[in-house]
Amino acid sequence: MAAPTLSVNGRSYRLPAPGAAPVVVVCVDGCEPDYIAQAVASGRAPWLARTLAQGTALVADCVVPSFTNPNNLSIVTGVPPSVHGICGNFLYDTASGTEVMMNDPKWLRAPTLLAALAEAGRSCAVVTAKDKLRRLLGHGMSLSRSMCFSSEKADSCTVAEHGVDSVLALVGRPVPDVYSAELSEFVFAAGVALMKQRRPDVMYLSTTDYIQHKHAPGDPVANDFYAMMDRHLGELDAMGCVIALTADHGMNSKVRMDAKPDVIYLQDLLDGWLGAAAARVILPITDPYVVHHGALGSFATVYLPAGADIAGTAKRLAALRGIEGVWTREQAAAHFELPADRIGDLVVVSERSTVLGSAASRHDLSGLDAPLRSHGGISEQRVPLILNRAIAGLDTQRRWRNFDAFDLVLNHAG
Ligand SMILES: [Zn+2]
């Protein structure tokens, strides 16, 4: 008899058999592949070194905009933002004429695989560093045998809302500061504790990129972070878990030679070209936690006034130093697989070491205590996709996506 399968968003997944090895997908926020390479080179990531040699080691593409929410949702739905609808951390809601966070599940247009697995009677445990992702990741998931909580709010979990309580006692750690490496360490520690005590069938762990925004690959603090991660993943591996590690996006230095952020302030430019506030620049990196990047990333979308010369403005922007490309709404929707109704008339992507701002006066860079590192563009699209299982006959030459992670662990790594 064929193993039972589950169909979600047009993709088919094998349901984990009762008593099968637990499946763990880890999204390491901002994990540019070089972080892994440098940690392995330092000798401080023995589990990763062994896994790269004996398991599956791919470099995949994330979704552009290379931001946290779109990619986490792609990983748990298995499809691009054109299907699931989450195309930024932040958007301009044309219906209400307001700029809003995209944390609310009302923006989600597709069910998650996690909800489908819980519906099919499998126990799921979802742990995210920041609470902003929790409701999106846990949307539609029955909590009768499953749970979904964040490190940030680990002290206020209830069975009714999160499927679990007394998380601090379970993990044996205090609530970490929201701007700290410990916020991510708590995610891994919770994963290990839950695997020991509850052994869920499926686990999704999602960290935060606080360290990656401040520290380059190979920096001692970055290597400390990857050594910490390596220990925890080694523990999960020793408990028999099938593990896939991927990332929501990469990370690059975004500074000039004087170490100051290399910013193109799009709102100021467009105000000069079209008149004050005629165009509206939206930076979808914006979220409540902007201290470490000042809301500066390599992706912006622009709403132009009625009757504006869209093609002419695109051409003028594309000619600027530091711009990688400019796409019209229709071109961007097709090229980046984005929902056309949730992006502006233009999508602008900056180069590897350049970021896009709105108006200079709107960015508070006083919180930047290290040279700016950020993401959002095509230059941050490469991410690791690593499994602790070898897969015979896997086509390593095709274009893999970070949202193939669940397909690999459920359909190919068993
Ligand atoms: Zn991220």
Side-chain angles (χ1 to χ4, degrees):
M1 199 178 83
T5 60
L6 200 58
S7 180
V8 183
N9 300 320
R11 300 184 72 157
S12 149
Y13 301 89
R14 210 153 59 196
L15 268 173
V23 156
V24 180
V25 171
V26 185
C27 176
V28 183
D29 199 325
C31 186
E32 143 67 36
D34 198 34
Y35 282 109
I36 304 269
Q38 298 302 323
V40 166
S42 76
R44 300 193 56 205
W47 177 81
L48 277 165
R50 198 171 61 244
T51 299
L52 290 167
Q54 298 171 3
T56 302
L58 302 166
V59 173
D61 279 354
C62 76
V63 162
V64 174
S66 47
F67 293 135
T68 301
N69 289 14
N71 278 284
N72 268 274
L73 271 296
S74 281
I75 294 168
V76 301
T77 59
V79 286
S82 52
V83 180
H84 65 65
I86 306 297
C87 55
N89 303 339
F90 187 81
L91 92 160
Y92 177 55
D93 178 17
T94 50
S96 65
T98 53
E99 299 180 12
V100 291
M101 299 299 306
M102 248 184 159
N103 295 347
D104 194 306
K106 75 176 184 186
W107 301 109
L108 194 55
R109 289 172 166 165
T112 71
L113 172 60
L114 300 165
L117 285 162
E119 179 68 35
R122 301 310 187 265
S123 54
C124 299
V126 179
V127 188
T128 167
K130 290 178 182 172
D131 205 61
K132 70 172 181 181
L133 262 176
R134 180 184 58 83
R135 283 196 303 148
L136 285 171
L137 294 176
H139 184 60
M141 199 171 88
S142 155
L143 296 174
S144 62
R145 301 184 60 211
S146 296
M147 63 180 81
C148 178
F149 62 91
S150 70
S151 310
E152 183 183 351
K153 301 271 172 72
D155 57 345
S156 52
C157 293
T158 62
V159 173
E161 196 179 344
H162 306 86
V164 63
D165 59 9
S166 308
V167 169
L168 299 185
L170 192 129
V171 181
R173 285 169 183 267
V175 178
D177 186 87
V178 71
Y179 296 110
S180 71
E182 288 74 32
L183 196 71
S184 292
E185 183 164 5
F186 192 97
V187 173
F188 291 116
V192 170
L194 288 170
M195 196 50 71
K196 276 183 187 150
Q197 298 174 37
R198 311 267 177 108
R199 205 167 171 90
D201 297 312
V202 175
M203 188 179 267
Y204 182 65
L205 305 176
S206 183
T207 66
T208 173
D209 54 10
Y210 172 80
I211 290 295
Q212 290 79 1
H213 268 291
K214 282 176 177 294
H215 300 278
D219 166 308
V221 177
N223 282 348
D224 285 347
F225 180 88
Y226 285 88
M228 173 279 290
M229 181 178 97
D230 194 270
R231 284 194 304 276
H232 287 100
L233 295 180
E235 285 193 62
L236 289 171
D237 194 336
M239 285 185 263
C241 300
V242 178
I243 303 171
L245 181 157
T246 190
D248 54 349
H249 52 79
M251 187 74 71
N252 275 307
S253 174
K254 301 283 184 183
V255 295
R256 309 182 305 209
M257 286 185 286
D258 64 2
K260 300 223 167 60
D262 192 354
V263 192
I264 298 168
Y265 288 107
L266 288 176
Q267 188 71 52
D268 290 338
L269 276 171
L270 291 164
D271 284 359
W273 296 350
L274 305 171
R280 182 189 291 266
V281 173
I282 298 293
L283 305 174
I285 192 172
T286 308
D287 73 13
Y289 319 78
V290 298
V291 173
H292 51 301
H293 53 63
L296 295 169
S298 286
F299 183 101
T301 183
V302 181
Y303 290 83
L304 294 172
D309 176 7
I310 295 177
T313 309
K315 206 170 162 191
R316 208 166 166 190
L317 286 169
L320 295 171
R321 176 204 69 87
I323 297 294
E324 178 150 354
V326 182
W327 292 260
T328 64
R329 175 183 286 116
E330 292 71 28
Q331 290 169 338
H335 186 67
F336 297 115
E337 300 167 279
L338 296 174
D341 59 329
R342 292 183 178 175
I343 54 176
D345 299 291
L346 297 175
V347 159
V348 186
V349 175
S350 61
E351 289 177 353
R352 181 192 171 282
S353 59
T354 311
V355 282
L356 301 169
S358 59
S361 60
R362 281 196 221 154
H363 292 270
D364 177 10
L365 305 184
S366 62
L368 287 179
D369 55 359
L372 180 67
R373 300 175 54 73
S374 194
H375 53 95
I378 297 165
S379 45
E380 289 79 39
Q381 197 174 15
R382 302 281 183 266
V383 291
L385 180 54
I386 299 169
L387 273 75
N388 67 341
R389 296 284 189 276
I391 300 173
L394 190 74
D395 180 1
T396 56
Q397 300 308 310
R398 61 161 266 201
R399 183 196 190 201
W400 289 94
R401 314 290 297 265
N402 59 352
F403 58 80
D404 294 320
F406 273 106
D407 171 65
L408 287 177
V409 284
L410 290 171
N411 294 335
H412 299 283

